[in-house]
Amino acid sequence: MKRFRIPFAALAACLAVSTAWAAPGTVLRNDKLYAQPSAAATVAGSVAKGANVEVLSKQGGWLRVTAGRTTGWIRLLSVRVGAGGLGGAGIGDVVGAATTKSDPSRVVAVAGLRGLNDEELKTAKFNPEEMARLEAQGVSGAQARSFASQGGLAAASVPALPGPEPKQSSSSWGNN
Amino acid sequence: MKARWLVIALALTAASTQANAFDLGKILEERINKELDKKDKSKQPQQPAQTAPAQQPATTQNAAANPPPAKQKIDARQLGFALFGDYSLEDENRIGHQIAGNLLGAVSLVRDDALQRYVNLVGNWVALQSGRSDVTWRFGVLDTEDINAFAAPGGYVFVTKGLYRLLDNEAELAGVLGHEIAHVTQKHHLKVLKQSTLIGALGQAASNKAQGSDQIVQNLIGNGAEIMARGLDKEAEFEADRIGMVFAARAGYDPWGLPTVLQDMAGLPAKDERTSLLYKTHPHPADRLAALGEAVGGRMDNVRGKDLPDRFYRIK
C-alpha cells in the first residue's frame, strides 16, 4: 500500500539501515544551506535554482541535503524531491503542455483498473443514491471540535500568506 | 485573533453592502466601460487614447469604425452575475449539488464508513478555520486509484482513494482537504462558470422560473461533471495551496502536510496513469512547490503543529 510513497518513505526506510543512501532532488529557487534546520543557524553555503542535490533526511519544513561538497539544511519548499529535475518549474508551459495537455496517449485507458477521465466525467449521470450516502456521512461542527480536542488539536492564529507580486495585468477581469 | 477576523469580516460586509446599496450601478457602468474600452483598444493597439475627441479631426472616422459601446443594450441585472459572479447561496448550493451528484455518477464512494467518517471529521475541523460557515461541508473518499481531489461549490469536497493512499498522517490529509476547502471559500469554480457561460445561461439560471429545476443548473455546468475535467487556472491552484496550507496550520496541524504530499506527487513517475487527469487540471507539483515556496519563505518557521500519524486512518 505504501509502495507509491517514493521519496520520503523510501528515504526513511533506507536511513534506518544505511547512511549511504540518498534521494535525488533539484533546487527550485536560489536559497541558503544552514548548519541546522533553522534560519537562525549558521549559513553553510548557498545553492542556485536548477542545482542537483542529494536529499538525506527531512525534518518539519527542512531537508538535509548535500550540494557539491556542502551538506546542510534547506527549506522543504526550495527543493523538489525526485528525479524529474526542475519538472515544470520555469519551463512548465512547454513541458506541461507537451506531456500532459495535448498528448492523446495520456488519456487513461480504463481496462480493469477503475480510472477517471474526461469522457467518464462528461457522460456521468447524477447519482441520488451516492449523494444520499454522502449526506448521511456528514458530521456536525460540534463533532468535529470534539474530535479535534481528542487529538490535542487547538485552533491557532496563523496569518494568511501573501499572493505573488501583482503583475502588469492586461485584463480587468483578472482579479475578480 | 478571532475577534480581529470578525472585525475585518464585518468591515468588508459593511463596505460591500454600502457598495451594493449606493454604488452598484456606478461600478457596473465603470466596469462595462472599462471592458468595452479594453476591447476597443485591443482592436487598435497602436491607437493612442483620444483625450479630447471633440477637437480631433480623426474622431469621426474612428467613431465610424468603432460604434460607441454605450449604444449596446445591456441588462444590468444579468451583468451583475456575469461580471461579479454574484450567485446566491441557494444557487451555489444547487450548482454544487448537481456537480457532486454527477461526479458520484462517474465514481462511487469507498464502502468504508469508518474512513468516510474520519475524513468528514478532519475536513469539518479544517473547514471550521476557513471562515465559511454558511455552507454544509461534506467530504467523501472516491473509489478510484486515480490520484486527485475535487471541490464543488456549496462545500462538497472529494479525495480519491489513490490520493488517500499517498498520505501518511492526519496533517497531510488536512493539507489536501485545506486546498479543496480553499477552492470553495474562494468560489473558484463559480468564477469559471461566470467566465465561460457569461450572460445567456446565467440570466436563465437567475430567472425566477429557473428556481428548483436541476436541468437549468445542468445547462449551466455543461455535460455531467466535465467541469471537473476542465480544471481551474494555475493561479487558482497556487492560491488554494497557499490558503489550504494556512487553514491546516490554523487547525493546529503541522503546516508541512500539503508540501509533503506535493513532494510525494512530484516523485511519482511522469507517465503514471493515475495522475493523468490531475496533471491535466493542475500545474506540475514542482511548479506548485516553487510557487508555494515563494509565498511561504520563512513565514511558517515558528508555526508548530501536530502530525497525528497514529490516529491516521489507514485504508485496508
Side-chain angles (χ1 to χ4, degrees):
Chain A
M1 178 167 296
K2 289 279 104 184
R3 74 202 140 97
F4 304 130
R5 196 184 170 78
I6 293 158
F8 293 137
L11 199 60
C14 294
L15 282 170
V17 293
S18 159
T19 53
W21 190 92
T26 306
V27 176
L28 295 171
R29 52 204 280 261
N30 300 342
D31 207 349
K32 299 188 180 86
L33 293 180
Y34 297 91
Q36 300 295 324
S38 159
T42 315
V43 174
S46 61
V47 284
K49 179 175 175 177
N52 294 318
V53 295
E54 292 292 309
V55 183
L56 306 172
S57 59
K58 172 177 181 279
Q59 183 180 315
W62 296 88
L63 293 173
R64 187 158 178 265
V65 301
T66 297
R69 271 176 257 164
T70 312
T71 295
W73 293 86
I74 188 170
R75 294 186 186 282
L76 172 66
L77 286 168
S78 296
V79 172
R80 172 255 168 100
V81 182
L86 274 175
I91 49 169
D93 291 334
V94 181
V95 173
T99 57
T100 66
K101 290 218 169 70
S102 50
D103 181 353
S105 71
R106 299 270 302 165
V107 174
V108 182
V110 188
L113 181 70
R114 187 92 167 83
L116 274 179
N117 61 40
D118 294 16
E119 206 46 44
E120 264 186 307
L121 290 172
K122 213 175 269 185
T123 56
K125 296 273 179 290
F126 191 90
N127 186 329
E129 291 81 22
E130 286 296 298
M131 277 300 274
R133 195 178 289 274
L134 181 75
E135 303 285 350
Q137 283 158 346
V139 304
S140 69
Q143 287 170 316
R145 283 192 185 88
S146 156
F147 169 80
S149 80
Q150 281 163 24
L153 295 166
S157 163
V158 178
L161 293 169
E165 295 290 313
K167 288 174 207 142
Q168 287 300 95
S169 173
S170 60
S171 166
S172 56
W173 301 89
N175 293 322
N176 273 327
Chain B
M1 191 63 198
K2 280 267 181 230
R4 208 176 97 197
W5 281 110
L6 187 64
V7 169
I8 292 169
L10 283 174
L12 284 173
T13 311
S16 66
T17 309
Q18 266 189 347
N20 284 340
F22 305 116
D23 292 319
L24 184 58
K26 199 176 158 217
I27 292 169
L28 263 175
E29 195 186 320
E30 281 172 4
R31 200 51 188 270
I32 293 162
N33 288 338
K34 209 168 157 191
E35 199 53 37
L36 293 171
D37 189 40
K38 193 189 78 192
K39 277 180 191 148
D40 235 23
K41 277 182 192 152
S42 67
K43 274 182 212 149
Q44 298 182 316
Q46 72 278 46
Q47 190 78 32
Q50 305 280 345
T51 46
Q55 289 165 12
Q56 298 279 347
T59 303
T60 324
Q61 202 190 340
N62 281 351
N66 299 293
K71 296 266 165 65
Q72 291 178 11
K73 203 156 163 50
I74 288 161
D75 180 330
R77 193 182 61 116
Q78 290 188 351
L79 268 174
F81 281 85
L83 293 176
F84 301 110
D86 286 334
Y87 292 96
S88 68
L89 181 60
E90 189 192 343
D91 284 340
E92 181 179 352
N93 283 330
R94 280 175 59 204
I95 292 166
H97 184 262
Q98 190 72 17
I99 294 173
N102 290 348
L103 181 61
L104 289 173
V107 53
S108 52
L109 295 164
V110 176
R111 293 289 183 267
D112 182 342
D113 289 348
L115 167 70
Q116 301 290 358
R117 183 177 169 79
Y118 173 73
V119 171
N120 272 279
L121 286 166
V122 174
N124 272 275
W125 171 240
V126 176
L128 279 169
Q129 324 304 322
S130 74
R132 194 129 195 234
S133 55
D134 59 342
V135 296
T136 305
W137 293 95
R138 306 161 191 84
F139 299 83
V141 183
L142 301 173
D143 197 0
T144 168
E145 294 299 338
D146 253 47
I147 294 169
N148 216 328
F150 305 93
Y156 295 92
V157 172
F158 300 95
V159 297
T160 64
K161 190 166 72 180
L163 174 53
Y164 194 94
R165 283 190 202 282
L166 288 180
L167 309 177
D168 228 14
N169 60 50
E170 199 169 299
E172 293 180 9
L173 175 61
V176 169
L177 297 178
H179 172 103
E180 298 305 325
I181 289 165
H183 281 316
V184 177
T185 64
Q186 301 309 110
K187 303 191 176 180
H188 284 151
H189 290 96
L190 292 179
K191 287 169 189 170
V192 167
L193 288 176
K194 175 191 78 173
Q195 285 167 356
S196 63
T197 55
L198 286 176
I199 299 165
L202 282 157
Q204 242 189 335
S207 77
N208 287 332
K209 254 192 234 168
Q211 296 295 329
S213 161
D214 285 341
Q215 190 51 49
I216 297 296
V217 175
Q218 191 62 61
N219 291 345
L220 181 69
I221 63 177
N223 296 318
E226 72 169 334
I227 185 172
M228 292 301 166
R230 284 207 302 265
L232 300 162
D233 69 43
K234 274 202 278 192
E235 292 310 317
E237 295 301 339
F238 294 147
E239 182 181 41
D241 284 339
R242 294 195 299 272
I243 296 175
M245 185 179 182
V246 169
F247 284 169
R250 284 181 185 162
Y253 290 107
D254 182 305
W256 305 105
L258 180 60
T260 301
V261 177
L262 291 174
Q263 288 284 18
D264 284 338
M265 293 196 303
L268 293 170
K271 291 284 177 191
D272 193 321
E273 289 199 334
R274 296 169 303 154
T275 54
S276 71
L277 184 62
L278 178 76
Y279 289 171
K280 183 175 177 288
T281 56
H282 289 73
H284 191 277
D287 282 338
R288 294 172 65 184
L289 288 165
L292 191 54
E294 289 296 324
V296 172
R299 290 183 176 84
M300 292 288 181
D301 283 0
N302 297 315
V303 178
R304 296 280 174 272
K306 290 184 184 299
D307 279 337
L308 301 180
D310 295 339
R311 183 163 88 166
F312 182 66
Y313 186 93
R314 314 239 168 214
I315 299 183
K316 282 142 224 146

